[in-house]
Amino acid sequence: MDRGTVGSAHRGRLLVEVRHEGSSAVVTPVGELDHHTADLLREPLEECLVSGVSRLVVDCTRLEFCDSTGLNVLLGARLKAEAAGGGVHLAGMQPVVARVFEITGADAVFTVHESLAAALAAE
């Protein structure tokens, strides 16, 4: 059964936008983050870290779904960012995504902000 992607024109795909704001890289995943799309987020996160940006803000406002593989991508980026003296900040999580972080306890290891503006202001 094809469950498609509720509310998305990407039909299960993930698009990732990256921009720089001050000393942060703002990484915006759009769509579903799962085992099929995890590398589409992993690669830009790693590119930011390799280029010397260790403060990553993941704007989750347009992230519709995140499974354990997606969570592992973010946890891996967090470890690398912290080793480089930075961190990963999550902003604007939708309830369905926030629930995954609550259930797994991952919300306790990330800095979570209500909005992108709040995450950037905490710089």
Side-chain angles (χ1 to χ4, degrees):
M1 181 171 118
D2 178 18
R3 65 182 179 86
T5 303
V6 177
S8 173
H10 307 302
R11 306 258 332 141
R13 297 301 306 155
L14 182 75
L15 299 176
V16 178
E17 304 165 0
V18 179
R19 71 179 192 279
H20 294 276
E21 297 258 346
S23 63
S24 299
V26 177
V27 180
T28 306
V30 180
E32 293 188 355
L33 178 57
D34 60 25
H35 70 280
H36 294 294
T37 61
D39 285 339
L40 296 173
L41 181 60
R42 180 182 293 112
E43 291 168 5
L45 289 171
E46 289 182 359
E47 287 171 12
C48 290
L49 292 166
V50 167
S51 72
V53 179
S54 62
R55 187 177 195 276
L56 307 175
V57 176
V58 180
D59 178 2
C60 299
T61 57
R62 295 163 54 197
L63 185 61
E64 299 167 359
F65 176 80
C66 179
D67 74 358
S68 60
T69 307
L71 179 60
N72 282 328
V73 167
L74 292 168
L75 288 167
R78 177 188 150 268
L79 291 174
K80 291 176 183 176
E82 287 180 356
V88 174
H89 298 255
L90 305 177
M93 282 196 285
Q94 298 298 320
V96 68
V97 174
R99 185 73 177 129
V100 172
F101 284 77
E102 292 167 13
I103 289 170
T104 61
D107 58 339
V109 299
F110 286 98
T111 304
V112 180
H113 304 273
E114 289 293 319
S115 67
L116 177 59
L120 292 172
E123 192 168 348

